[in-house]
Amino acid sequence: MKKLSALIMLLVVCLTASAQYAPSPEIIKARKEFQDNKFGIYIHWGLYSMLGNGEWVMSTRNINYKEYTHLADGFYPSKFNAEEWVKAFKAAGAKYITFTTRHHDGFSMFKTTANNYNIVDGTPFHRDVLKELADACQKYGIKLHLYYSHVDWSRPDYPQGWSGTGVGKPTNQADYDHYLAFMKHQLTELLTNYGPIGAIWFDGYWDQKNNPNFDWKLDEQYSLIHRLQPGCLVANNHHKAPKPGEDLQTFEQDLPGQNTAGYSKGTVIGQLPLETVMTMNKVWGYDITDKNYKSATYIIQHIIKAAGNNANYVINIGPRPDGMLPVEAVERLKAIGDWMGKYGQTIYGTRGGIVAPHDWGVTTQKGNTLYVHIMNAKDRALFLPITDRKVVKACMYDGKKPVAVSKNKLGVTLELPAVPKGIDTIVELTLK
């Protein structure tokens, strides 16, 4: 009986918390537009790029927190060109960019009055790369989302979590209220100085997993964001079910429902718009030795698979310390853009189709049009368990050649002209 009472109380608390956040009309509109966008680019870029060993190098190599700051003295990305970046991403078919404004090392890649540890005041570069990127995004019609870390290995007022334990930072000066005020100051700057922001994408909630009673005071942060920009979405990479105040559910290195990377074990898929974020090679930040890039075919097929799982797909690039995109990344962007230019109609603006993902592929859907994406077929016949809708027309997406359809009580079978090969073979069905 006591266990039952505790469970009832927990449910009441959860329902009460959920009821506290009612998404505004601006948020509802922004969520739909987000789902329509389907494909984005992630950018992990900061001081860590200079060391060429990924974005966690400060923690993994136990670099002293005071010594690490001297990297800023030599950070001068002379080849950075925001317009060239944005044009390359737009040509690839991306509809939004998520940029790391401040990662776990604590360095701000934007002008902030909170401290001098930022790219404008703390480096010889003296340029606000975020402002340049924001201006380019507005010029070329791409949404800008901003990554913001909850973790800070450089600030003594951030309570020590499980990461960054070897950087020498004092642990007796922790003051989360003070740190929270700092974060809210920076969030206010990000949402007032850089034009319309599509989303704030938080990371680092997992750092306090050894402190189960730790209160991040997310409601204060989320309400601030929604107040400053009523149409700005909130995402949090906490690897858990959505929390009140959040507008997206994101999955790291996996499609929704999968757990190959180990981050999504037991994660419940909620009712919010979904997003998969994935590295193009092995790590997020620039790694000079990491040439293990995913193929263009792999990335394109995961854009398709994500759409079939009713999710967006975001592929990460770690620019070099000079501000240039790696050659391998540029090559893949070109291939992605070529494919999206031909077949984007079957991805953008769609939702996961009425036929669930199978080993052979996925379906995407717009109204009564169902796109069947075949990426792994063994023969010409393809069975689809469609029983409550009538297929009134079936044709190949390329060339519009008719496809024969037979039906029984279990569903329909498509008789394709040949065994599908290549990246993706698409059949277009009109349903009634």
Side-chain angles (χ1 to χ4, degrees), residues 80 96 134:
F80 170 71
Y96 61 98

Side-chain angles (χ1 to χ4, degrees), residues 155-202:
R155 290 181 61 96
D157 58 352
Y158 171 70
Q160 182 65 57
W162 68 263
S163 68
T165 56
V167 303
K169 189 180 70 170
T171 58
N172 61 351
Q173 299 175 30
D175 183 347
Y176 184 68
D177 286 338
H178 188 265
Y179 180 67
L180 177 62
F182 159 76
M183 290 197 295
K184 290 166 72 173
H185 179 101
Q186 288 205 316
L187 289 169
T188 299
E189 292 176 322
L190 291 171
L191 290 165
T192 55
N193 298 336
Y194 298 95
I197 302 302
I200 296 292
W201 206 97
F202 287 111

Side-chain angles (χ1 to χ4, degrees), residues 61-131:
R61 293 179 60 180
N62 293 324
I63 301 174
N64 181 271
Y65 78 109
K66 291 184 177 179
E67 188 64 31
Y68 185 88
T69 64
H70 294 306
L71 287 173
D73 298 335
F75 190 41
Y76 195 91
S78 59
K79 295 183 179 180
F80 170 71
N81 187 313
E83 287 210 8
E84 292 303 313
W85 277 19
V86 173
K87 287 192 291 187
F89 301 153
K90 187 178 180 71
K95 300 297 185 181
Y96 61 98
I97 299 167
T98 303
F99 179 77
T100 46
T101 63
R102 189 177 72 99
H103 208 266
H104 312 325
D105 63 355
F107 182 76
S108 298
M109 292 291 286
F110 65 100
K111 166 65 176 175
T112 176
T113 60
N115 58 31
N116 290 327
Y117 196 41
N118 66 79
I119 193 168
V120 178
D121 301 312
T123 78
F125 195 54
H126 297 310
R127 283 165 52 186
D128 190 339
V129 296
L130 178 58
K131 181 64 167 65

